[in-house]
Amino acid sequence: AKMRFAGVSILVLFLSTLEAQRFLQGDLPPEFQNFIEIENDFQPYEMEMEMSPGYGSIDESNEFMEQFSHALHSHSQGAPHKRTVTAEAALTDAMSYQENAVQFMRKGRYAEALQFYDKCLKIQLKALGDLHPLVAQTIDFMGVALLRLDRAYDALETFEKSLAIYQHLGGAGKRVDWALTVMHVGQALELQAENIPKKVSQLQDNQIDKLTKEALAKYNMALEVFKVLEREDPDIDIANIMHCKGNVYNIRGQYKEALRHFKYALGDKLQILGENDPSVAWTKNNIANSLKGLGQIDEAIKWYKEALDMVSKHFGHDHPEVAHVHWNLALAYQTKGEMEAERRAAKGRRSFWFRLFFGKGRRRAHEGSDFLKMEKHLVHAFDVFQSRLGQDHTFVSSVLLCSVCSLSRSPGRR
């Protein structure tokens, strides 16, 4: 089930930037007063922009206010500075880096987005210390970028760092952004499960079962927080959770249950976002995944085409998320073509001449218009994945494998 993560986190990518602006203006929401106090006579300070690598560590023996106070008032008087800036200018730079990251995320250039998030994070760590909600949010956004790059294990580790900050600050179970990070943990577990081949061994099937159950538990945990803290009806975060749960049920092969969750999400998204939002298209895409799993191929293709038309208009034809729908359409046409080939073969096996020349058990090759449509969508997906995500990305190798298998069953193909 592809395109499972797209659209879920883009809705909150501006939150950290807006809160940083409120920080600079001394206008923080009430819950932030537990984390930091801003003096009315806030004085600029100088800090060196020679950043050390990494995210920093969480030391529970130090109070956050001590860290922030130290960052606010200390600097080396005689030390050489490559560049000195005020705290306000430093956080403005961080906001600028984050805005660049958001733009790259929208364009499907996830590796570049990750680089800008990293620059933003280094500044935030220097100015705010390790234990600040803005730092937790930026780390969370980096995890989302890693998910887009199919780096599920790295993403999971990154999300856990973000959750550790919220836990240390007493925000676990009490903040919407904590719940969003919990949801992202579920997505990382879901991606791990999806990347495991099915029906290869009992050990792998057990691993898929374990990971998907853990993902559902994370989604339900986040859902309870959203229900308490967000009183809107319908609510976009709840709709996204229902979408995510549908993805898990698709992986587990429980397509009817997946379809029920996707249609719930779709109904709410249509009310909140309207018909032309890409998040609506992604849910339509995953409804098609469920229908394909139920064997309703023609109906699935109809939903895929609707999704493709919507995301193509929004992102353009060379975006990775658009390529995902092309890939899904290719797989749908492949399934349809194989079903048709099996139907023709079954009909042929009943004839005397087929049994005479081909033998009773011989299947016909995958051929016809469905294969040609599959090939068109497959080539498009491969070209975009390779150019935008890199040759080593999982999606590139998956499309290549699908292409080789399809061509090997088709007479006269190169």
Side-chain angles (χ1 to χ4, degrees):
K2 300 303 170 188
M3 295 183 62
R4 53 206 170 266
F5 307 113
V8 171
S9 299
I10 196 68
L11 298 168
V12 298
L13 283 176
F14 292 109
L15 181 60
S16 181
T17 300
L18 294 174
E19 288 184 345
Q21 290 171 340
R22 296 178 69 180
F23 166 80
L24 295 177
Q25 298 165 2
D27 178 25
L28 284 172
E31 62 267 25
F32 273 32
Q33 302 307 323
N34 296 327
F35 305 136
I36 182 172
E37 294 179 4
I38 296 187
E39 301 175 2
N40 293 329
D41 57 343
F42 177 79
Q43 298 294 324
Y45 74 102
E46 293 183 337
M47 72 176 187
E48 187 178 356
M49 295 299 292
E50 183 85 24
M51 301 300 181
S52 58
Y55 302 140
S57 60
I58 299 172
D59 185 357
E60 296 194 0
S61 65
N62 296 326
E63 293 295 327
F64 172 64
M65 280 302 299
E66 293 176 359
Q67 295 183 23
F68 182 75
S69 178
H70 177 75
L72 187 63
H73 296 291
S74 66
H75 65 277
S76 300
Q77 294 291 339
H81 293 276
K82 291 187 176 180
R83 178 185 173 200
T84 60
V85 294
T86 64
E88 181 174 340
L91 291 174
T92 300
D93 286 345
M95 285 165 23
S96 177
Y97 284 136
Q98 189 173 86
E99 288 166 1
N100 286 331
V102 170
Q103 294 304 316
F104 280 119
M105 289 291 290
R106 285 177 168 174
K107 294 176 182 178
R109 295 164 64 177
Y110 308 125
E112 291 160 287
L114 194 60
Q115 293 174 4
F116 277 99
Y117 279 135
D118 186 59
K119 292 178 180 179
C120 171
L121 179 64
K122 287 176 180 177
I123 295 175
Q124 289 177 335
L125 286 170
K126 192 76 173 181
L128 304 174
D130 295 344
L131 303 178
H132 193 281
L134 295 183
V135 172
Q137 285 184 337
T138 300
I139 294 174
D140 177 65
F141 296 157
M142 295 177 78
V144 173
L146 289 167
L147 281 180
R148 301 294 198 280
L149 292 168
D150 208 44
R151 293 167 58 182
Y153 291 95
D154 292 336
L156 181 59
E157 181 180 349
T158 303
F159 293 139
E160 287 174 346
K161 290 179 181 179
S162 179
L163 288 177
I165 296 174
Y166 288 126
Q167 182 73 35
H168 186 86
L169 298 173
K174 301 175 183 178
R175 292 176 55 87
V176 169
D177 43 9
W178 175 86
L180 287 168
T181 304
V182 171
M183 180 178 73
H184 294 153
V185 170
Q187 291 176 319
L189 294 167
E190 176 192 323
L191 180 58
Q192 289 182 31
E194 190 172 22
N195 287 338
I196 299 173
K198 294 181 180 178
K199 299 180 180 179
V200 174
S201 69
Q202 187 61 47
L203 179 63
Q204 289 177 315
D205 289 345
N206 291 341
Q207 192 174 2
I208 292 173
D209 181 70
K210 178 177 179 292
L211 288 169
T212 51
K213 285 180 178 178
E214 289 177 0
L216 284 173
K218 295 298 183 183
Y219 291 148
N220 288 329
M221 186 185 303
L223 181 61
E224 291 306 310
V225 176
F226 290 143
K227 287 180 177 179
V228 172
L229 298 182
E230 299 184 339
R231 303 303 178 91
E232 297 179 1
D233 186 22
D235 179 79
I236 189 60
D237 288 324
I238 292 176
N240 284 332
I241 284 287
M242 299 300 283
H243 176 106
C244 291
K245 291 179 70 174
N247 291 337
V248 175
Y249 286 120
N250 261 350
I251 295 172
R252 294 178 63 85
Q254 298 172 245
Y255 301 115
K256 290 183 179 180
E257 187 65 16
L259 200 56
R260 184 177 71 83
H261 281 77
F262 286 137
K263 289 189 174 181
Y264 181 102
L266 180 63
D268 282 1
K269 286 184 178 184
L270 285 171
Q271 291 186 57
I272 300 167
L273 305 173
E275 295 182 356
N276 298 319
D277 192 271
S279 184
V280 172
W282 291 317
T283 299
K284 287 187 175 184
N285 173 87
N286 287 13
I287 286 175
N289 288 336
S290 298
L291 292 168
K292 177 174 172 284
L294 291 169
Q296 301 177 33
I297 304 300
D298 290 330
E299 186 70 11
I301 289 174
K302 184 188 80 172
W303 283 85
Y304 282 137
K305 287 181 175 179
E306 287 185 19
L308 180 61
D309 182 62
M310 293 172 67
V311 294
S312 297
K313 289 178 180 177
H314 189 86
F315 293 110
H317 296 285
D318 62 342
H319 195 282
E321 306 304 343
V322 178
H324 280 309
V325 190
H326 280 286
W327 185 9
N328 286 340
L329 265 170
L331 296 176
Y333 279 119
Q334 180 186 34
T335 301
K336 183 180 179 182
E338 289 176 346
M339 291 171 65
E340 178 62 21
E342 180 61 33
R343 186 190 65 79
R344 291 196 307 266
K347 182 178 180 180
R349 281 194 290 268
R350 293 194 294 269
S351 72
F352 167 78
W353 296 109
F354 186 91
R355 292 194 300 271
L356 178 65
F357 287 103
F358 296 104
K360 186 174 180 180
R362 179 73 176 271
R363 288 184 59 186
R364 288 194 177 186
H366 186 167
E367 58 187 8
S369 62
D370 291 322
F371 175 80
L372 295 176
K373 293 174 183 176
M374 180 206 74
E375 186 177 46
K376 180 187 74 172
H377 289 291
L378 207 60
V379 168
H380 183 95
F382 176 78
D383 289 342
V384 174
F385 286 152
Q386 187 177 41
S387 64
R388 300 297 291 275
L389 302 180
Q391 193 167 354
D392 296 331
H393 197 280
T394 305
F395 295 152
V396 175
S397 58
S398 297
V399 175
L400 267 177
L401 179 62
C402 181
S403 301
V404 170
C405 292
S406 300
L407 292 172
S408 66
R409 289 198 294 266
S410 302
R413 296 282 169 184
R414 60 186 183 280

